[in-house]
Amino acid sequence: MNAIDDWTLVGESILRREDAYLLRGQGKFVDDLPVPQNTVHLGFVCSPFAHANITGIDISRAVALPGVIDVLTGNDFVGDILPFKPDIKIEGYREISRPVVATDTVRFVGEYVAVVLAETPYIAQDAIELVDVEYDPLPAVARIEDALDREAPVIFESLGDNVIFKSHFETEGFADHFASVEHVLEGEFHLGRVTGVPIEPRGCLGVIDPVADSYTLWTTTQVPHVVRTAIADHLRLPESIIRVVTPAVGGGFGVKSHIYPDELIVVALMRRYRRAVKWIQDRREELLSDAHAREHIHRIKVAVDAEAVIQAVELKLQTNGGAYANYPFSCTLEATGAARMLPGPYRIRNYKYDVVSVVTNTAPTGAYRGTGQPSCFLAIESMMDRIGRELNIDPADVRLRNLVQPEEFPYVNAVGVRYDTGSYKESLEKALEISGYREYKNRQPKDRLIDGKYRGIGICNYTEVSGTGAPGWRVRGFAKMPGFDSSRVVIEPDGRVAVYLSQADAGQGHYTTFAQVAADRLGVAWSDVTVIEGDTSKTPFGTGTFASRGSVVGGGSIIRCCEKVSAKVKRIVGEMLEIDPSDLVLSDGRVYPLGTPDKGLTLKQVAETAYSMNDIAMPEGEEHGLEATDYYDPPMVTMANGTHVVQAAVDPGDGTVEIERYFIVHDCGRVINPMIVRGQIHGATAQGIGEALMEEIVYDEDGQLLNANLLDYVLPLVLDIPDMEIAHIETPSIDTVGGIKGTAEGGLTGAVPAVANAVCDALSGLGINISRVPLRPSFILAQIDKAAG
Amino acid sequence: MKPAPFKLCMPEEEQEILALLQSYGRDARILAGGQSLVPLMNMRIMQPQVLISLNRCTSLSYINAQGNGIAVGARTRQAEIEESEQIASRLSLLSKAMPYVGVRSSRNFGTVCGSLAHADPLAELPSVAAALDARFQLASVRGTREVSADEFYIGALTNCLEPDEMLRQVLFPALPPNSKSVFVEVSTRTHGFAVVGLAMCASIDSSAICRDVRLAAMGVSETTLRLRSAEAMLEGNTLSAELIDEVSRAATETMNPPHDIHADGNYRKRVACTLIKRALSEVVQR
């Protein structure tokens, strides 16, 4: 429907405008903003217990410290700030609520117990240690299996047990289809708990305007408009007096698409004390209490015929939701994501799933790059390899036999998700070709041992949910996620262009790519477009930047908005030149009749008329100004796709994995800026390698988080990341404006299963099936030893 | 990342440092490069009341030939060691281990003596010092004394320094000219805190007979561990594949390494065995 075939700048690798300041260290992040005199600095007293009753809080020593303004506890916020209750409207979900500061009971290590207000952040930190909290420890549960135990302590009495979400789905006649098939393969896959670890932890600065009686909150968020609505809802304030601004933000990865207690507390306290309020998070606090992700267990049964064609799949999925429902996604984001996306690029017509999410005494879980997809593709892609081994068919061929075929698009999968376009077969074939997969397989010895190391090759095909619109959020029960994004495009009196967008950049390069889109559509120089976003007072309402939606929804809205503005330009010029507006084109900053560029006007000349700065009147009935606003709600989802192929070597002496070659084919529809797309792929793949090989948040069984620092939460460094050989396929969406699909998560989604499968192939001579990530050297060596007996 | 209040002293003379140490004693910590101490203070795991900085005392910054060895002063940066030709030619083990110590940016400020005194069980330099039979010179207003690595290290993050003493310098006896050195380690990622590591030096003659073998392992006990029984098994013997197997097995059999979230004791033991084999095989091949 929205095919565009006259792109000019879209598709060019324009250098990032942001790099001029970010690479020089001149970006202004929230902690770099000048603070007003008399600013109050906050510190949070965090629970050291995973589960305990608070029996007393003595603040006397803390408030006696010079420079301490006040110390507040949970009861001081009751009535002032409503508890979080993320209104998840999906069958099987049971609501729980979270006070912004604990009142009677703490439920995870790191939960806020008291707030210190001080003249400096150092004094606040000193005072934290002087707040004496008395706890009566309760038995805690940290792991899924412990939470489901009959004898387990119940974390929320209102639930009666520890199950927060249960969901069941099956296609018609599932049981009969499943029973009629000869081979049934079973697998169990565990994913460790991880988190996004943006380079900049979170922080807030609240500034009060006494004249307007309004409140500005500078905060590190991916969703400024959603934050503003949440503040208004929970503090019962008019939205019109709240302004939410994002300065430069150092990475979000989904972690910053939630609304956190501190954001509400900062606003409440600036109202109460009539002073600016600032809080900057420490890395330890970030690892303890920002949204965690994964910690899933998949138990999967695949019924497959003798030709390796999958006839039915049954999934039992358990996820650890953590202690509370994060706002606004709760723990159902990953649970529904993983269960619904498991069919991926495969023609799986008979599908059944049962999902159980539990509450435990661990940090609340939520969004992190890939959301559910690295998890479900680890399960299904590992099963593809197992089918190959079982039936003695090459795993690449198993995949080829099961993919949705090119002639089947648009395709609706078993759970009702529409795949508008895709290049699944082409992508896999291209990946096999550039990686030399067939030759590698032909050369590969049965024991996989080459030069003293076990060497193997792994594949992952993936689909990538992107650009989710309102129907996509509603079907998964999210009432507080609008789905649309919006833009206002203004041709200024000087003929240059301003784009006001409802989103918020966290390093993705919005100021470059969106300028590129607008310049392309309005026929102006890229350098003449300014992009303004991340400020609720300047931009129209919208959803924000997460879940691979920025380019699809922001880009789509800008394209539509530019069409509206250029239509007005054409009407004005048509009248002036007495030409049919449809014969006019916008190019090189000018408007002219097609084929006769010297006959037209500059945009500046048109703007002079629009802003009444010359003697030429506007056409009859045309308003002044030269701008438009557009609200674009995309379809349920648009589906990107790709394939990763990894060659890995396992050292039998120490269990370390070396990634020897890395190949990626990806298809995100129309590419706006290929260089930036490659950056997204590099970054996401690096995070996927981390999740596959080393990253894991570790809780002991009492709910103590054992590695809340970056020495012990092991992230990959640049030396762990191999060169990636990347090939593009461009299959534009037929459902989204401009044919754009998202691309921020596929790298991570592809990497986790592809790396695991490469390791598994390397160890297949020993009969080892990999059934969990991360694949740390100690885990791998134990597997090798076990196999050796 | 906000340390507790502390007083910072920045003396320029060594005598002043020692005088301050004497007057503040247990309340004071020496600040050299700060690459371990400052993060621990930021996390408030350590809260010294006084920091005595060596950074203005330039006389403690040196790499000097002393007797039959090379002395490294308390303020000498790790990067200086990494770049020193003198160290590369006479103490190749130290040179080879340097790239594994922290990262380049931390080595620009981190000091050799600071890392040695910090006594982290997973730091490279204590094992290098042990394998090199280094002498630790401890100074106070009461005078100086010299101890070996065995005497200096008491446990994880614990050394034998008295409250009024500082590690003034470390003296590395030069290696024999035909000595070969190997440093190997294994970690969860390519570059980061190791799980297990091994420092080794040995002289191997043309008929593969070993002399002056010294092996020190990290990550297998609370402090660096000299593998003296392995050294004795190798001394004067021909380095054959069988001997390498035998030594690596015997040396690790009795180890009882710690367990943490990165690896269990059994893994550390297995990898220590692998590393001994790797190190010995490497010197044979050279």
Side-chain angles (χ1 to χ4, degrees):
Chain A
M1 87 186 192
N2 302 292
I4 296 174
D5 54 12
D6 58 350
W7 298 108
T8 54
L9 280 170
V10 163
E12 296 292 315
S13 286
I14 293 174
L15 291 183
R16 279 160 47 108
R17 159 185 281 185
E18 293 87 337
D19 289 341
Y21 57 90
L22 287 177
L23 298 184
R24 292 186 174 93
Q26 293 166 347
K28 289 281 172 263
F29 297 83
V30 68
D31 201 20
D32 300 319
L33 301 172
V35 289
Q37 274 188 344
N38 219 16
T39 295
V40 176
H41 295 268
L42 300 189
F44 289 97
V45 177
C46 296
S47 170
F49 288 99
H51 198 193
N53 284 326
I54 301 168
T55 53
I57 301 180
D58 181 356
I59 62 169
S60 56
R61 289 199 303 145
V63 288
L65 187 74
V68 171
I69 299 158
D70 208 346
V71 176
L72 304 175
T73 65
N75 288 326
D76 295 315
F77 293 97
V78 173
D80 230 21
I81 306 178
L82 298 177
F84 281 123
K85 235 188 236 181
D87 203 11
I88 306 294
K89 292 185 182 352
I90 189 169
E91 201 191 324
Y93 179 75
R94 302 198 289 169
E95 196 155 63
I96 51 175
S97 75
R98 172 186 187 178
V100 289
V101 176
T103 49
D104 309 319
T105 308
V106 287
R107 294 188 176 84
F108 70 99
V109 172
E111 183 171 0
Y112 295 160
V113 175
V115 189
V116 173
L117 293 76
E119 301 292 349
T120 74
Y122 289 85
I123 296 171
Q125 193 72 40
D126 294 343
I128 285 172
E129 295 173 22
L130 300 175
V131 177
D132 298 307
V133 186
E134 252 180 66
Y135 297 94
D136 182 13
L138 297 167
V141 282
R143 293 168 190 159
I144 294 171
E145 56 273 25
D146 296 339
L148 290 170
D149 191 296
R150 263 174 223 286
E151 307 293 311
V154 171
I155 299 172
F156 286 90
E157 276 172 27
S158 61
L159 297 183
D161 57 26
N162 292 321
V163 175
I164 180 172
F165 178 54
K166 251 186 183 173
S167 181
H168 172 85
F169 169 87
E170 67 180 85
T171 49
E172 224 179 294
F174 178 84
D176 293 342
H177 285 291
F178 194 89
S180 69
V181 184
E182 34 204 305
H183 302 278
V184 175
L185 274 69
E186 296 185 30
E188 181 173 320
F189 302 93
H190 294 242
L191 287 101
R193 178 181 282 236
V194 296
T195 184
V197 201
I199 194 165
E200 181 205 21
R202 295 185 309 103
C204 307
L205 171 65
V207 179
I208 197 160
D209 178 350
V211 179
D213 193 25
S214 67
Y215 307 94
T216 299
L217 179 71
W218 300 78
T219 184
T220 47
T221 188
Q222 299 170 245
V223 290
H225 291 277
V226 178
V227 170
R228 189 179 68 143
T229 302
I231 292 168
D233 276 355
H234 290 85
L235 274 65
R236 289 168 294 199
L237 291 175
E239 289 206 29
S240 57
I241 64 164
I242 307 161
R243 175 185 170 207
V244 174
V245 191
T246 59
V249 173
F253 309 121
V255 173
K256 293 175 184 168
S257 64
H258 306 88
I259 289 84
Y260 291 92
D262 33 84
E263 291 174 309
L264 304 185
I265 290 168
V266 165
V267 178
L269 293 181
M270 70 171 145
R271 271 169 60 75
R272 195 180 292 187
Y273 290 85
R274 309 299 294 173
R275 289 169 71 171
V277 177
K278 181 174 177 181
W279 170 71
I280 299 295
Q281 187 183 47
D282 281 350
R283 182 63 72 190
R284 181 168 177 277
E285 295 167 329
E286 184 242 337
L287 290 166
L288 281 177
S289 61
D290 281 4
H292 292 175
R294 320 296 190 250
E295 197 171 354
H296 301 167
I297 303 172
H298 292 261
R299 293 186 178 88
I300 184 172
K301 288 183 186 171
V302 179
V304 64
D305 68 17
E307 301 306 311
V309 177
I310 295 173
Q311 300 297 330
V313 173
E314 182 187 317
L315 171 72
K316 284 189 165 50
L317 170 66
Q318 295 175 333
T319 76
N320 186 339
Y324 292 102
N326 246 324
Y327 188 94
F329 296 120
S330 185
C331 61
T332 60
L333 184 73
E334 283 222 298
T336 57
R340 288 171 55 82
M341 284 322 304
L342 185 128
Y346 299 110
R347 206 199 294 103
I348 296 171
R349 299 310 318 167
N350 302 301
Y351 181 45
K352 172 180 167 183
Y353 67 70
D354 281 285
V355 178
V356 174
S357 299
V358 296
V359 282
T360 59
N361 296 114
T362 61
T365 61
Y368 167 44
R369 203 173 201 174
T371 302
Q373 297 170 112
S375 156
C376 63
F377 289 119
L378 176 70
I380 193 71
E381 286 295 316
S382 300
M383 293 311 289
M384 291 290 165
D385 283 16
R386 291 189 191 185
I387 293 167
R389 284 197 289 275
E390 176 81 11
L391 302 180
N392 206 17
I393 299 171
D394 189 286
D397 294 319
V398 175
R399 289 173 170 85
L400 282 167
R401 292 178 197 187
N402 284 286
L403 287 172
V404 173
Q405 297 297 304
E407 64 277 10
E408 293 179 272
F409 290 100
Y411 173 89
V412 178
N413 79 3
V415 298
V417 175
R418 174 180 152 100
Y419 302 175
D420 59 344
T421 59
S423 56
Y424 307 164
K425 184 160 175 273
E426 189 187 349
S427 170
L428 176 56
E429 282 171 348
K430 194 163 189 166
L432 297 178
E433 182 197 315
I434 64 170
S435 64
Y437 176 87
R438 302 279 182 197
E439 298 78 43
Y440 186 100
K441 274 291 183 194
N442 288 337
R443 285 197 314 268
Q444 200 177 31
K446 221 176 161 56
D447 64 3
R448 306 293 193 253
L449 200 55
I450 302 169
D451 296 336
K453 288 189 179 184
Y454 295 110
R455 290 182 149 86
I457 192 162
I459 302 173
C460 174
N461 285 319
Y462 66 86
T463 48
E464 177 179 5
V465 169
S466 74
T468 305
W473 294 118
R474 291 307 103 75
V475 76
R476 287 166 69 185
F478 301 114
K480 301 294 184 192
M481 273 299 157
F484 69 84
D485 270 289
S486 58
S487 60
R488 187 161 74 91
V489 172
V490 183
I491 299 177
E492 304 280 11
D494 65 359
R496 294 191 174 89
V497 177
V499 175
Y500 298 85
L501 186 66
S502 60
Q503 300 205 334
D505 180 88
Q508 299 93 334
H510 283 189
Y511 300 102
T512 304
T513 47
F514 290 137
Q516 213 172 326
V517 172
D520 182 304
R521 294 295 85 198
L522 292 175
V524 300
W526 171 75
S527 53
D528 283 347
V529 180
T530 304
V531 176
I532 298 110
E533 54 167 49
D535 186 338
T536 59
S537 72
K538 292 181 179 167
T539 73
F541 195 93
T543 307
T545 308
F546 60 96
S548 300
R549 56 179 292 113
S551 59
V552 180
V553 198
S557 175
I558 292 169
I559 291 168
R560 295 185 357 154
C561 210
C562 289
E563 275 169 23
K564 294 180 188 174
V565 178
S566 63
K568 183 167 182 179
V569 169
K570 287 176 184 176
R571 287 198 302 274
I572 297 169
V573 176
E575 177 97 0
M576 287 159 110
L577 301 182
E578 294 180 346
I579 291 173
D580 185 342
S582 64
D583 291 335
L584 293 169
V585 291
L586 276 71
S587 180
D588 296 328
R590 294 168 55 77
V591 196
Y592 54 84
L594 189 64
T596 49
D598 47 331
K599 271 195 72 181
L601 298 166
T602 64
L603 271 186
K604 186 169 188 294
Q605 289 170 314
V606 182
E608 280 168 2
T609 292
Y611 291 97
S612 191
M613 290 175 176
N614 61 18
D615 296 334
I616 305 168
M618 286 288 270
E620 190 79 27
E622 200 76 66
E623 285 179 14
H624 280 108
L626 207 46
E627 64 173 82
T629 301
D630 181 83
Y631 293 81
Y632 174 48
D633 189 19
M636 179 190 270
V637 297
T638 184
M639 204 63 84
N641 67 275
T643 306
H644 286 210
V645 177
V646 172
Q647 296 176 11
V650 179
D651 191 319
D654 57 28
T656 55
V657 174
E658 186 191 346
I659 295 175
E660 301 190 299
R661 300 286 297 275
Y662 208 115
F663 304 91
I664 298 171
V665 177
H666 92 109
D667 187 345
C668 62
R670 178 69 63 222
V671 173
I672 298 169
N673 184 317
M675 180 196 71
I676 286 178
V677 167
R678 291 173 78 87
Q680 285 280 8
I681 294 169
H682 287 153
T685 302
Q687 284 180 306
I689 290 170
E691 185 168 337
L693 295 181
M694 57 195 84
E695 289 181 43
E696 185 171 20
I697 297 262
V698 183
Y699 281 99
D700 70 13
E701 45 189 49
D702 299 323
Q704 283 296 332
L705 206 169
L706 302 179
N707 55 346
N709 63 68
L710 294 185
L711 277 180
D712 292 316
Y713 183 82
V714 186
L715 289 167
L717 298 180
V718 68
L719 293 171
D720 298 292
I721 306 305
D723 285 340
M724 299 165 204
E725 294 165 55
I726 301 175
H728 298 276
I729 300 173
E730 205 162 328
T731 312
S733 166
I734 52 171
D735 287 353
T736 66
V737 171
I740 301 166
K741 299 179 178 184
T743 194
E745 299 170 276
L748 202 163
T749 301
V752 174
V755 171
N757 280 340
V759 171
C760 202
D761 182 47
L763 299 179
S764 61
L766 301 169
I768 293 171
N769 270 333
I770 294 296
S771 54
R772 59 155 287 157
V773 291
L775 297 165
R776 293 186 153 203
S778 50
F779 172 75
I780 288 184
L781 198 61
Q783 299 292 303
I784 292 174
D785 284 351
K786 210 164 82 188
Chain B
M1 305 302 119
K2 295 167 282 284
F6 59 89
K7 179 181 169 172
L8 177 65
C9 306
M10 303 200 69
E12 292 178 8
E13 300 296 332
E14 193 185 328
Q15 285 317 311
E16 259 184 275
I17 296 169
L18 298 180
L20 286 165
L21 266 176
Q22 189 197 25
S23 63
Y24 289 111
R26 281 182 207 286
D27 295 336
R29 293 285 296 195
I30 295 283
L31 173 70
Q35 300 300 304
S36 302
L37 178 60
V38 171
L40 289 171
M41 287 173 61
N42 278 341
M43 292 187 268
R44 298 203 174 202
I45 293 168
M46 295 189 82
Q47 304 192 1
Q49 289 172 18
V50 182
L51 281 189
I52 305 168
S53 168
L54 307 184
N55 289 288
R56 288 199 182 153
C57 185
T58 48
S59 65
L60 287 173
S61 200
Y62 54 83
I63 303 172
N64 284 344
Q66 265 181 34
N68 178 34
I70 296 175
V72 174
R75 189 188 167 278
T76 306
R77 310 289 176 199
Q78 292 155 6
E80 296 174 60
I81 298 293
E82 194 176 4
E83 284 160 13
S84 160
E85 284 178 23
Q86 197 184 174
I87 299 285
S89 64
R90 299 187 60 199
L91 289 170
S92 60
L93 178 61
L94 184 54
S95 235
K96 284 180 176 166
M98 287 321 294
Y100 296 94
V101 180
V103 294
R104 177 66 211 216
S105 52
S106 71
R107 294 196 293 273
N108 283 334
F109 221 64
T111 64
V112 171
C113 287
S115 173
L116 289 173
H118 183 56
D120 191 304
L122 288 175
E124 288 80 7
L125 289 173
S127 287
V128 171
L132 288 172
D133 275 338
R135 303 294 299 166
F136 293 67
Q137 191 190 83
L138 319 183
S140 70
V141 289
R142 296 176 285 119
T144 60
R145 58 178 177 135
E146 257 191 25
V147 298
S148 67
D150 279 348
E151 294 161 305
F152 187 74
Y153 292 110
I154 291 173
L157 305 178
T158 319
N159 57 42
C160 76
L161 284 165
E162 295 295 333
D164 65 345
E165 281 182 317
M166 67 177 280
L167 175 58
R168 193 195 171 280
Q169 72 162 32
V170 60
L171 175 72
F172 298 104
L175 290 166
N178 61 346
S179 177
K180 294 176 180 180
S181 302
V182 183
F183 187 88
V184 276
E185 68 174 37
V186 169
S187 57
T188 303
R189 64 179 170 207
T190 311
H191 202 124
F193 256 99
V195 174
V196 189
L198 182 78
M200 189 192 92
C201 46
S203 302
I204 314 283
D205 68 14
S206 51
S207 45
I209 291 175
C210 306
R211 305 250 177 243
D212 298 322
V213 188
R214 280 160 353 208
L215 291 158
M218 59 192 247
V220 295
S221 67
E222 284 230 315
T223 66
T224 176
L225 186 69
R226 266 292 282 272
L227 307 177
R228 294 194 193 273
S229 62
E231 293 172 5
M233 284 172 75
L234 291 161
E235 190 66 35
N237 287 315
T238 306
L239 204 51
S240 63
E242 294 73 30
L243 183 62
I244 292 176
D245 263 357
E246 199 185 329
V247 167
S248 57
R249 206 171 333 105
T252 50
E253 231 164 34
T254 55
M255 279 181 185
N256 188 16
H259 166 99
D260 63 22
I261 61 165
H262 302 294
D264 60 21
N266 192 45
Y267 176 78
R268 294 195 149 86
K269 208 163 155 166
R270 285 274 277 108
V271 173
C273 180
T274 298
L275 293 183
I276 295 169
K277 275 187 207 166
R278 273 184 201 161
L280 291 171
S281 310
E282 196 181 320
V283 293
V284 181
Q285 279 160 15
R286 267 198 243 146

